[in-house]
Amino acid sequence: MGLAFRYIVFAIASTLANLLLQECVFHISPIMPLATSMAAGTGIGFVIKYVLDKYWIFQDESAGHTEEIKKDHSLRSF
């Protein structure tokens, strides 16, 4: 499966998860259903996209937060 194809599929998957969770939360939230559903949907969409991209787009095999922090972040210095 090509990189571009995976990226498109993952974007669609995270968008669908976002919309599905928004729909569910909107119907069960007793307080501010629109804002709550948007926050929940956006959060799950970001998490799903991050995890899929990390392992399937960037092939990042970091074991945990400590390894993640130790990575070379050379783009930070301008």
Side-chain angles (χ1 to χ4, degrees):
M1 182 165 39
L3 186 63
F5 179 75
R6 278 186 284 188
Y7 194 82
I8 291 167
V9 169
F10 297 161
I12 291 169
S14 66
T15 300
L16 290 176
N18 177 338
L19 295 174
L20 180 63
L21 188 60
Q22 280 188 38
E23 183 69 22
C24 293
V25 171
F26 185 81
H27 291 293
I28 63 170
S29 179
I31 300 170
M32 297 187 341
L34 182 60
T36 306
S37 67
M38 288 174 64
T42 300
I44 196 68
F46 278 146
V47 168
I48 289 172
K49 187 73 167 79
Y50 172 80
V51 170
L52 290 173
D53 283 355
K54 177 178 171 122
Y55 296 108
W56 291 91
I57 301 295
F58 300 109
Q59 283 95 32
D60 185 359
E61 300 293 331
S62 298
H65 298 299
T66 306
E67 270 189 55
E68 195 76 34
I69 292 170
K70 289 180 182 178
K71 286 182 185 175
D72 177 27
H73 296 286
S74 58
L75 294 177
R76 267 197 247 166
S77 57
F78 289 69

